Amino acid sequence: MIQGYSSTGNISSKNISEAYMSLPSNRVIEGQVISKDGKNLRIEDKNGTVMDLVLKKEVEISKGQLLEIKRRDIESLKVVSEDKITEEKEEEVTDEAKLKDLGLKTTDENKDAIKNLKRFEIPITKENIERYVAVKKTMENLRANLTLDAIAKLQGAGYDLDNMSVWEIESAMNDISKNDITSLETEVFKAYMSKDMSYDEARKLAKEIYGVDMGKDVLDSIRALSKMGIEINKSNIDNIHDVFSKLHNIKDIDNKTLIDAIKLNEDVSIDVLYKLKNYIQSSSIASASSNSVAYGASSVRPLSENDLSNMENEIKRFIKDIGLSEADIDISKDLLRKNQGITKEAVESIKELREILSELQKLMDKDTAAYLIKQGLDLGSKDLKSLLDMVKEFQQELELISLNQFTQEEILKANKLIQAVNSISKDKIVDENVKLVNLISDKKNSDGYEFLFSQARELKVLSHADTVVLRAAAIIQSVESLDTAQISSYTSNISLLDIGRGANIVPRAFNYQVSLTSMEFEVSTDTANINSLTSGDSNKTEAYKHYQYLRVNIRAVHIYSMVNEGIDPLRSDIRNMSAYVEQYEYRSSQYSLSTMSSFDSSKLSADIVKNPSINSMRSVMSMADNLKPKSMVTQLVDKIIEEAERKDLGDLTKVMKTVVKTLENNNNLTKETTKENMTMFYQHMKEAEEIVKTLKKEDKEVFEKYLRQMSEHIKESSKASKGESMLQIPFYMNQEGSQANVFVKTPKQKDKIDPEDMSILMDLSTKGLGDLGFYLKVEHKSVAVKISAGENVLSSIKNEMTSLENLLQNIGYELKKVELSGDEDTAKISFVEETAKQLPSGLDLKV
């Protein structure tokens, strides 16, 4: 345990925290996770020291697991004192009592709700707790699943995301995902080609999920889920196990129960038969009427066994007359036992239903069940005839594939393709995904991408879209620049296939015939056209720029979207593809919570509970994205300096430290100094780029990634400034990187805002003081101010109120109202409420 001592010699939590944060950046801090909320974690190390961590990046870890993390990946660390822990335990007891008083269960979700409602100064009521829990669940679901891919599908289906509530979007997103079904042939190929999970692996997973050793039925369910590429969790395992348990239960079902099922006049499913056999008494089912001529129907009383014995010869004669055989006597008697008349239609229905059920019992296996579940099917509620047809279709396709006699080599290559597709993150830059050559190359023969660009049978394991994505990714990842590809002409179309062939990634003999349309490049003389090129070197330069743009920006979701629209990403000109990507990002990324580094579901949920008007996607994104600090330029500068010092790259370190000095001059904010400093900043970044080009490959890749991220951040900041009247200003203060976001709104249609009728938000993100918000609302020179900050800095701000009032009076304004809040989002919320009204706006730094 790291020891920290105060001046009196006693251990101090503050000193321990500082000791931990002063460790070398590569030192690993370990501890068991006690709680987790986004990037905020509480852990306990092996010495019993409890610490609250704020991570720079959220990690996938759960309560009870061991966290091992390098100090460089921790934003802040605070040791929690024993007094604080005792205080929190007492508060938890109080919260549990409050929940009981309100008639709510003491779940972790409800306790988290109370904690955050108090934190954000929201009344503790039953309605607010329930709303908070529901909102937070929805926001976290959208964060995880409202990807660029999902957004594109919603927009393609005609949904107006701007004006839909977050709950409507969640529902629509779930509906879209249910309809997102891969073809039967592709899924069966994947199942056939996939490597079977061993029973030892399945047993280990089952123990982790259930906490005890499980039987063969559960292990087989896990192996089937693995084979079909479905998430292995308790819900999915139980789903399969439940179906087979019910099928076994109704295996010996009698005719009378089948008659009851048909009388319900609805689809007969596994669930219906199971419930009728086990729960529903026959007397509770209403009799169904029949228009057919029925023998023996009675409205007086059911026939007794003695009656049926005396009537047997008469029944045999009757069923023979209506075209049935003597073998149908048992079903006929059961119809009479259920007070139903005997008709040929009724007897045939019972016989057919029994045959379907018997065949389903024989054919249904866990692999087939897993496939049907992957298609979004509820096996228990599907009518038996349709279910049997789907089972037969799957197994017939599997039999056809088996007849093809795939070799072990082909199966190995096919499995590599499946692994490669599964490794591609749709919303991640293609070039930053796992390198495909490492996944699909044969280590013995190093055949690279030879079979990926062939017409081999194993490629059938993939859908056409998956195949295109892998081929495009292989070219983009392998060809870093057009310098390494021999392009014959820069005045005509240049496609990824051209680039791949020029760099010997794509075999010259590769015959590519598809029905998709390519986006052809049209030469234009209009200089305003972003795609226009002239002849000679300028064409070459433009082509280089477009290809570099694609490598930095194109995601798998863009490629899938092109294929879905009938566009061929492999044959289309790269200049048109870059325009497609830019337009796609403009349309979709504004709704993606998953790409937000500053996402805090607790804060956002509390904001929505506090302000019911914030529920449309437009207002929620304003709150969650535009008004929260994005990943700061200064954070990237710090990363480059830290990495450069670690690798002993003196020239790069020197340039980046000059950047820090330049951004320190932003403390005196004026239009002129800001412009001058940013010009200097860009010059320094150009110097850094030139130095990085000279580094060895492994170092070059690291720093190029940081510089690319910085370029993208500046680009996004520029877009936000144009669209939202916002200016983001990176600066250093006391050697700590920070960022100021300035938002301005005015109701008048002018290039500059009206100083007598305006709204301004200054949103500062600092390491030392946390998040600070200053919202000024000016109406006819009367000023209302809302200031939000952490409780630790509010007292200092209060002392300056008199100075603020005097300052405003000196320039002709009157301070009418001041509100201070310990909730760091109060000022932001007020501004968002006004922003959502879509006021015209303008930005003038001189204000």
Short mmCIF file of all heavy atoms in Angstrom, two decimals, residues 739-790:
data_model
loop_
_atom_site.label_atom_id
_atom_site.label_comp_id
_atom_site.label_asym_id
_atom_site.label_seq_id
_atom_site.Cartn_x
_atom_site.Cartn_y
_atom_site.Cartn_z
N GLN A 739 -10.80 23.68 -21.55
CA GLN A 739 -11.52 24.08 -22.76
C GLN A 739 -12.70 24.96 -22.38
O GLN A 739 -13.40 24.68 -21.41
CB GLN A 739 -12.02 22.84 -23.49
CG GLN A 739 -12.83 23.15 -24.75
CD GLN A 739 -13.07 21.89 -25.55
OE1 GLN A 739 -12.18 21.39 -26.21
NE2 GLN A 739 -14.28 21.36 -25.47
N ALA A 740 -12.90 26.01 -23.15
CA ALA A 740 -14.05 26.89 -22.96
C ALA A 740 -15.00 26.74 -24.15
O ALA A 740 -14.55 26.83 -25.29
CB ALA A 740 -13.60 28.34 -22.82
N ASN A 741 -16.26 26.51 -23.86
CA ASN A 741 -17.30 26.49 -24.90
C ASN A 741 -18.14 27.75 -24.74
O ASN A 741 -18.70 27.99 -23.68
CB ASN A 741 -18.20 25.26 -24.77
CG ASN A 741 -17.45 23.98 -25.01
OD1 ASN A 741 -16.44 23.98 -25.68
ND2 ASN A 741 -17.93 22.90 -24.43
N VAL A 742 -18.22 28.54 -25.79
CA VAL A 742 -19.00 29.78 -25.75
C VAL A 742 -20.21 29.63 -26.67
O VAL A 742 -20.06 29.38 -27.86
CB VAL A 742 -18.16 31.00 -26.20
CG1 VAL A 742 -18.97 32.29 -26.07
CG2 VAL A 742 -16.86 31.08 -25.41
N PHE A 743 -21.42 29.74 -26.10
CA PHE A 743 -22.67 29.64 -26.88
C PHE A 743 -23.39 30.98 -26.82
O PHE A 743 -23.47 31.60 -25.76
CB PHE A 743 -23.61 28.59 -26.29
CG PHE A 743 -23.04 27.20 -26.24
CD1 PHE A 743 -22.18 26.83 -25.22
CD2 PHE A 743 -23.37 26.28 -27.20
CE1 PHE A 743 -21.66 25.55 -25.17
CE2 PHE A 743 -22.86 25.00 -27.15
CZ PHE A 743 -22.01 24.63 -26.14
N VAL A 744 -23.91 31.41 -27.97
CA VAL A 744 -24.61 32.70 -28.02
C VAL A 744 -25.91 32.54 -28.78
O VAL A 744 -25.96 31.90 -29.82
CB VAL A 744 -23.74 33.78 -28.71
CG1 VAL A 744 -24.46 35.12 -28.67
CG2 VAL A 744 -22.38 33.88 -28.05
N LYS A 745 -27.00 33.13 -28.25
CA LYS A 745 -28.29 33.12 -28.93
C LYS A 745 -28.90 34.51 -28.88
O LYS A 745 -28.77 35.22 -27.89
CB LYS A 745 -29.26 32.13 -28.25
CG LYS A 745 -28.91 30.67 -28.48
CD LYS A 745 -29.21 30.24 -29.88
CE LYS A 745 -28.84 28.79 -30.11
NZ LYS A 745 -29.12 28.36 -31.46
N THR A 746 -29.57 34.89 -29.98
CA THR A 746 -30.30 36.14 -30.01
C THR A 746 -31.55 35.95 -30.85
O THR A 746 -31.53 35.20 -31.82
CB THR A 746 -29.45 37.28 -30.61
OG1 THR A 746 -30.18 38.50 -30.55
CG2 THR A 746 -29.06 37.00 -32.04
N PRO A 747 -32.68 36.57 -30.48
CA PRO A 747 -33.92 36.37 -31.24
C PRO A 747 -34.01 37.21 -32.50
O PRO A 747 -34.99 37.14 -33.21
CB PRO A 747 -35.00 36.78 -30.24
CG PRO A 747 -34.35 37.78 -29.36
CD PRO A 747 -32.91 37.35 -29.25
N LYS A 748 -32.99 38.01 -32.79
CA LYS A 748 -33.09 38.89 -33.94
C LYS A 748 -32.23 38.39 -35.08
O LYS A 748 -31.14 37.86 -34.88
CB LYS A 748 -32.67 40.31 -33.55
CG LYS A 748 -33.62 40.94 -32.53
CD LYS A 748 -33.28 42.40 -32.28
CE LYS A 748 -34.28 43.04 -31.32
NZ LYS A 748 -33.97 44.44 -31.05
N GLN A 749 -32.71 38.55 -36.30
CA GLN A 749 -32.00 38.08 -37.50
C GLN A 749 -30.92 39.09 -37.87
O GLN A 749 -31.11 39.96 -38.70
CB GLN A 749 -32.99 37.93 -38.66
CG GLN A 749 -34.04 36.88 -38.42
CD GLN A 749 -33.51 35.48 -38.72
OE1 GLN A 749 -32.35 35.33 -39.02
NE2 GLN A 749 -34.38 34.49 -38.65
N LYS A 750 -29.77 38.97 -37.21
CA LYS A 750 -28.66 39.87 -37.50
C LYS A 750 -27.36 39.08 -37.52
O LYS A 750 -27.27 37.99 -36.96
CB LYS A 750 -28.55 40.96 -36.42
CG LYS A 750 -29.71 41.95 -36.43
CD LYS A 750 -29.47 43.03 -35.40
CE LYS A 750 -30.58 44.08 -35.41
NZ LYS A 750 -30.35 45.14 -34.43
N ASP A 751 -26.36 39.63 -38.19
CA ASP A 751 -25.06 38.98 -38.21
C ASP A 751 -24.41 39.03 -36.84
O ASP A 751 -23.65 38.15 -36.47
CB ASP A 751 -24.14 39.65 -39.24
CG ASP A 751 -24.62 39.41 -40.67
OD1 ASP A 751 -25.32 38.39 -40.88
OD2 ASP A 751 -24.30 40.24 -41.53
N LYS A 752 -24.69 40.09 -36.10
CA LYS A 752 -24.16 40.23 -34.75
C LYS A 752 -25.32 40.25 -33.77
O LYS A 752 -26.42 40.68 -34.09
CB LYS A 752 -23.34 41.52 -34.62
CG LYS A 752 -22.08 41.52 -35.48
CD LYS A 752 -21.27 42.78 -35.27
CE LYS A 752 -20.00 42.78 -36.12
NZ LYS A 752 -19.20 44.01 -35.92
N ILE A 753 -25.05 39.81 -32.57
CA ILE A 753 -26.13 39.72 -31.59
C ILE A 753 -26.45 41.09 -31.03
O ILE A 753 -25.64 42.03 -31.06
CB ILE A 753 -25.79 38.74 -30.45
CG1 ILE A 753 -24.63 39.28 -29.62
CG2 ILE A 753 -25.48 37.37 -30.98
CD1 ILE A 753 -24.35 38.45 -28.40
N ASP A 754 -27.65 41.21 -30.49
CA ASP A 754 -28.12 42.45 -29.89
C ASP A 754 -27.69 42.47 -28.43
O ASP A 754 -28.16 41.65 -27.63
CB ASP A 754 -29.64 42.51 -30.01
CG ASP A 754 -30.20 43.83 -29.48
OD1 ASP A 754 -29.43 44.60 -28.86
OD2 ASP A 754 -31.40 44.07 -29.66
N PRO A 755 -26.82 43.36 -27.99
CA PRO A 755 -26.33 43.36 -26.61
C PRO A 755 -27.42 43.66 -25.58
O PRO A 755 -27.20 43.49 -24.39
CB PRO A 755 -25.25 44.46 -26.61
CG PRO A 755 -25.59 45.34 -27.76
CD PRO A 755 -26.21 44.45 -28.79
N GLU A 756 -28.60 44.10 -26.04
CA GLU A 756 -29.69 44.36 -25.10
C GLU A 756 -30.72 43.23 -25.08
O GLU A 756 -31.69 43.28 -24.34
CB GLU A 756 -30.38 45.70 -25.46
CG GLU A 756 -29.46 46.90 -25.30
CD GLU A 756 -30.21 48.21 -25.51
OE1 GLU A 756 -31.45 48.17 -25.53
OE2 GLU A 756 -29.55 49.26 -25.63
N ASP A 757 -30.53 42.23 -25.93
CA ASP A 757 -31.51 41.14 -26.00
C ASP A 757 -30.76 39.88 -26.46
O ASP A 757 -30.71 39.56 -27.64
CB ASP A 757 -32.62 41.48 -26.99
CG ASP A 757 -33.84 40.61 -26.79
OD1 ASP A 757 -33.77 39.69 -25.94
OD2 ASP A 757 -34.85 40.84 -27.47
N MET A 758 -30.19 39.13 -25.50
CA MET A 758 -29.33 38.01 -25.89
C MET A 758 -29.22 37.01 -24.74
O MET A 758 -29.60 37.28 -23.61
CB MET A 758 -27.93 38.53 -26.23
CG MET A 758 -27.23 39.18 -25.05
SD MET A 758 -25.58 39.79 -25.44
CE MET A 758 -25.08 40.51 -23.87
N SER A 759 -28.67 35.85 -25.08
CA SER A 759 -28.37 34.81 -24.09
C SER A 759 -26.97 34.29 -24.38
O SER A 759 -26.63 34.01 -25.52
CB SER A 759 -29.36 33.65 -24.19
OG SER A 759 -30.67 34.10 -23.97
N ILE A 760 -26.16 34.18 -23.33
CA ILE A 760 -24.79 33.69 -23.48
C ILE A 760 -24.53 32.61 -22.43
O ILE A 760 -24.88 32.77 -21.27
CB ILE A 760 -23.74 34.81 -23.31
CG1 ILE A 760 -23.94 35.90 -24.37
CG2 ILE A 760 -22.32 34.24 -23.39
CD1 ILE A 760 -22.97 37.05 -24.23
N LEU A 761 -23.92 31.51 -22.88
CA LEU A 761 -23.45 30.48 -21.95
C LEU A 761 -21.95 30.35 -22.10
O LEU A 761 -21.44 30.15 -23.20
CB LEU A 761 -24.10 29.13 -22.24
CG LEU A 761 -23.57 27.98 -21.37
CD1 LEU A 761 -24.07 28.12 -19.94
CD2 LEU A 761 -23.95 26.63 -21.94
N MET A 762 -21.24 30.47 -20.98
CA MET A 762 -19.81 30.17 -20.93
C MET A 762 -19.69 28.86 -20.17
O MET A 762 -20.00 28.78 -18.98
CB MET A 762 -19.03 31.27 -20.21
CG MET A 762 -18.94 32.58 -20.98
SD MET A 762 -17.79 32.49 -22.35
CE MET A 762 -16.23 32.35 -21.49
N ASP A 763 -19.25 27.83 -20.87
CA ASP A 763 -19.16 26.49 -20.29
C ASP A 763 -17.68 26.11 -20.23
O ASP A 763 -17.05 25.90 -21.27
CB ASP A 763 -19.95 25.51 -21.18
CG ASP A 763 -19.80 24.08 -20.71
OD1 ASP A 763 -19.57 23.89 -19.51
OD2 ASP A 763 -19.92 23.17 -21.55
N LEU A 764 -17.12 26.08 -19.02
CA LEU A 764 -15.69 25.82 -18.86
C LEU A 764 -15.47 24.42 -18.29
O LEU A 764 -16.16 24.01 -17.35
CB LEU A 764 -15.04 26.84 -17.92
CG LEU A 764 -15.20 28.32 -18.29
CD1 LEU A 764 -14.52 29.19 -17.26
CD2 LEU A 764 -14.61 28.59 -19.66
N SER A 765 -14.52 23.72 -18.86
CA SER A 765 -14.15 22.40 -18.35
C SER A 765 -12.72 22.48 -17.86
O SER A 765 -11.81 22.71 -18.64
CB SER A 765 -14.28 21.35 -19.45
OG SER A 765 -13.86 20.10 -18.99
N THR A 766 -12.52 22.34 -16.55
CA THR A 766 -11.18 22.43 -15.98
C THR A 766 -10.91 21.22 -15.10
O THR A 766 -11.84 20.60 -14.57
CB THR A 766 -11.02 23.71 -15.12
OG1 THR A 766 -11.81 23.58 -13.94
CG2 THR A 766 -11.46 24.94 -15.89
N LYS A 767 -9.65 20.88 -14.95
CA LYS A 767 -9.30 19.76 -14.08
C LYS A 767 -9.37 20.16 -12.61
O LYS A 767 -9.80 19.39 -11.77
CB LYS A 767 -7.88 19.27 -14.41
CG LYS A 767 -7.78 18.55 -15.76
CD LYS A 767 -6.38 18.04 -15.99
CE LYS A 767 -6.28 17.32 -17.33
NZ LYS A 767 -4.90 16.85 -17.59
N GLY A 768 -8.91 21.38 -12.31
CA GLY A 768 -8.84 21.80 -10.92
C GLY A 768 -10.18 22.15 -10.31
O GLY A 768 -10.49 21.76 -9.19
N LEU A 769 -11.01 22.91 -11.06
CA LEU A 769 -12.28 23.40 -10.52
C LEU A 769 -13.48 22.62 -11.02
O LEU A 769 -14.59 22.89 -10.61
CB LEU A 769 -12.45 24.88 -10.89
CG LEU A 769 -11.37 25.84 -10.38
CD1 LEU A 769 -11.65 27.25 -10.86
CD2 LEU A 769 -11.31 25.80 -8.86
N GLY A 770 -13.25 21.65 -11.91
CA GLY A 770 -14.37 20.88 -12.46
C GLY A 770 -15.08 21.66 -13.56
O GLY A 770 -14.51 22.54 -14.20
N ASP A 771 -16.37 21.36 -13.75
CA ASP A 771 -17.17 22.02 -14.77
C ASP A 771 -17.83 23.27 -14.18
O ASP A 771 -18.43 23.23 -13.11
CB ASP A 771 -18.27 21.09 -15.30
CG ASP A 771 -17.68 19.93 -16.07
OD1 ASP A 771 -16.53 20.06 -16.53
OD2 ASP A 771 -18.37 18.90 -16.22
N LEU A 772 -17.71 24.40 -14.90
CA LEU A 772 -18.31 25.66 -14.47
C LEU A 772 -19.24 26.16 -15.57
O LEU A 772 -18.88 26.14 -16.76
CB LEU A 772 -17.24 26.72 -14.21
CG LEU A 772 -16.09 26.35 -13.26
CD1 LEU A 772 -15.07 27.47 -13.22
CD2 LEU A 772 -16.63 26.08 -11.87
N GLY A 773 -20.42 26.61 -15.20
CA GLY A 773 -21.37 27.14 -16.17
C GLY A 773 -21.82 28.54 -15.78
O GLY A 773 -22.20 28.78 -14.63
N PHE A 774 -21.78 29.48 -16.74
CA PHE A 774 -22.21 30.86 -16.50
C PHE A 774 -23.24 31.21 -17.58
O PHE A 774 -22.88 31.34 -18.75
CB PHE A 774 -21.03 31.83 -16.56
CG PHE A 774 -19.95 31.56 -15.56
CD1 PHE A 774 -18.93 30.67 -15.86
CD2 PHE A 774 -19.96 32.16 -14.31
CE1 PHE A 774 -17.92 30.39 -14.95
CE2 PHE A 774 -18.96 31.89 -13.39
CZ PHE A 774 -17.94 31.00 -13.71
N TYR A 775 -24.50 31.36 -17.18
CA TYR A 775 -25.56 31.66 -18.14
C TYR A 775 -26.09 33.06 -17.86
O TYR A 775 -26.56 33.36 -16.76
CB TYR A 775 -26.68 30.63 -18.02
CG TYR A 775 -27.89 30.93 -18.88
CD1 TYR A 775 -27.74 31.34 -20.21
CD2 TYR A 775 -29.18 30.81 -18.37
CE1 TYR A 775 -28.84 31.61 -20.99
CE2 TYR A 775 -30.29 31.08 -19.16
CZ TYR A 775 -30.12 31.48 -20.47
OH TYR A 775 -31.21 31.75 -21.25
N LEU A 776 -25.99 33.95 -18.88
CA LEU A 776 -26.47 35.32 -18.76
C LEU A 776 -27.64 35.53 -19.71
O LEU A 776 -27.52 35.28 -20.91
CB LEU A 776 -25.37 36.33 -19.10
CG LEU A 776 -24.27 36.56 -18.06
CD1 LEU A 776 -23.26 35.41 -18.10
CD2 LEU A 776 -23.54 37.88 -18.33
N LYS A 777 -28.74 35.99 -19.17
CA LYS A 777 -29.93 36.30 -19.97
C LYS A 777 -30.14 37.81 -19.87
O LYS A 777 -30.38 38.35 -18.79
CB LYS A 777 -31.14 35.54 -19.44
CG LYS A 777 -32.45 35.88 -20.14
CD LYS A 777 -32.48 35.36 -21.56
CE LYS A 777 -33.82 35.61 -22.22
NZ LYS A 777 -33.84 35.25 -23.64
N VAL A 778 -30.06 38.49 -21.03
CA VAL A 778 -30.18 39.95 -21.05
C VAL A 778 -31.45 40.35 -21.77
O VAL A 778 -31.69 39.95 -22.91
CB VAL A 778 -28.97 40.60 -21.76
CG1 VAL A 778 -29.09 42.12 -21.73
CG2 VAL A 778 -27.67 40.15 -21.10
N GLU A 779 -32.30 41.12 -21.09
CA GLU A 779 -33.53 41.66 -21.69
C GLU A 779 -33.62 43.13 -21.34
O GLU A 779 -33.77 43.50 -20.17
CB GLU A 779 -34.76 40.91 -21.17
CG GLU A 779 -34.84 39.46 -21.64
CD GLU A 779 -36.07 38.75 -21.12
OE1 GLU A 779 -36.34 38.83 -19.90
OE2 GLU A 779 -36.76 38.12 -21.93
N HIS A 780 -33.48 43.98 -22.37
CA HIS A 780 -33.54 45.43 -22.18
C HIS A 780 -32.56 45.89 -21.10
O HIS A 780 -32.91 46.65 -20.20
CB HIS A 780 -34.96 45.87 -21.83
CG HIS A 780 -35.98 45.36 -22.80
ND1 HIS A 780 -35.98 45.69 -24.14
CD2 HIS A 780 -37.03 44.51 -22.61
CE1 HIS A 780 -36.98 45.09 -24.74
NE2 HIS A 780 -37.64 44.35 -23.85
N LYS A 781 -31.34 45.41 -21.16
CA LYS A 781 -30.24 45.75 -20.27
C LYS A 781 -30.44 45.31 -18.82
O LYS A 781 -29.70 45.71 -17.93
CB LYS A 781 -29.94 47.25 -20.33
CG LYS A 781 -29.28 47.67 -21.66
CD LYS A 781 -28.43 48.91 -21.49
CE LYS A 781 -27.56 49.14 -22.72
NZ LYS A 781 -26.64 50.25 -22.54
N SER A 782 -31.46 44.46 -18.59
CA SER A 782 -31.60 43.81 -17.29
C SER A 782 -30.99 42.42 -17.40
O SER A 782 -31.29 41.68 -18.33
CB SER A 782 -33.07 43.68 -16.89
OG SER A 782 -33.61 44.96 -16.63
N VAL A 783 -30.15 42.09 -16.44
CA VAL A 783 -29.37 40.86 -16.54
C VAL A 783 -29.77 39.87 -15.44
O VAL A 783 -29.81 40.22 -14.26
CB VAL A 783 -27.85 41.16 -16.41
CG1 VAL A 783 -27.04 39.87 -16.55
CG2 VAL A 783 -27.43 42.18 -17.46
N ALA A 784 -30.07 38.62 -15.87
CA ALA A 784 -30.28 37.52 -14.94
C ALA A 784 -29.13 36.54 -15.13
O ALA A 784 -28.78 36.20 -16.26
CB ALA A 784 -31.61 36.83 -15.21
N VAL A 785 -28.52 36.12 -14.04
CA VAL A 785 -27.35 35.26 -14.11
C VAL A 785 -27.62 33.96 -13.37
O VAL A 785 -28.14 33.97 -12.25
CB VAL A 785 -26.11 35.95 -13.48
CG1 VAL A 785 -24.89 35.04 -13.55
CG2 VAL A 785 -25.83 37.27 -14.19
N LYS A 786 -27.25 32.87 -14.01
CA LYS A 786 -27.28 31.56 -13.35
C LYS A 786 -25.87 30.99 -13.39
O LYS A 786 -25.26 30.90 -14.46
CB LYS A 786 -28.25 30.60 -14.04
CG LYS A 786 -29.71 30.98 -13.88
CD LYS A 786 -30.63 29.94 -14.50
CE LYS A 786 -32.08 30.37 -14.34
NZ LYS A 786 -33.02 29.38 -14.93
N ILE A 787 -25.35 30.64 -12.23
CA ILE A 787 -23.99 30.11 -12.15
C ILE A 787 -24.05 28.73 -11.51
O ILE A 787 -24.65 28.56 -10.44
CB ILE A 787 -23.07 31.04 -11.32
CG1 ILE A 787 -23.04 32.44 -11.94
CG2 ILE A 787 -21.67 30.45 -11.23
CD1 ILE A 787 -22.26 33.45 -11.13
N SER A 788 -23.46 27.77 -12.16
CA SER A 788 -23.43 26.41 -11.61
C SER A 788 -22.00 25.94 -11.51
O SER A 788 -21.18 26.16 -12.41
CB SER A 788 -24.26 25.46 -12.47
OG SER A 788 -23.83 25.48 -13.82
N ALA A 789 -21.70 25.29 -10.39
CA ALA A 789 -20.35 24.80 -10.15
C ALA A 789 -20.42 23.80 -9.00
O ALA A 789 -21.46 23.63 -8.36
CB ALA A 789 -19.42 25.95 -9.79
N GLY A 790 -19.31 23.15 -8.73
CA GLY A 790 -19.26 22.26 -7.58
C GLY A 790 -19.37 23.06 -6.29
O GLY A 790 -19.01 24.24 -6.23
#
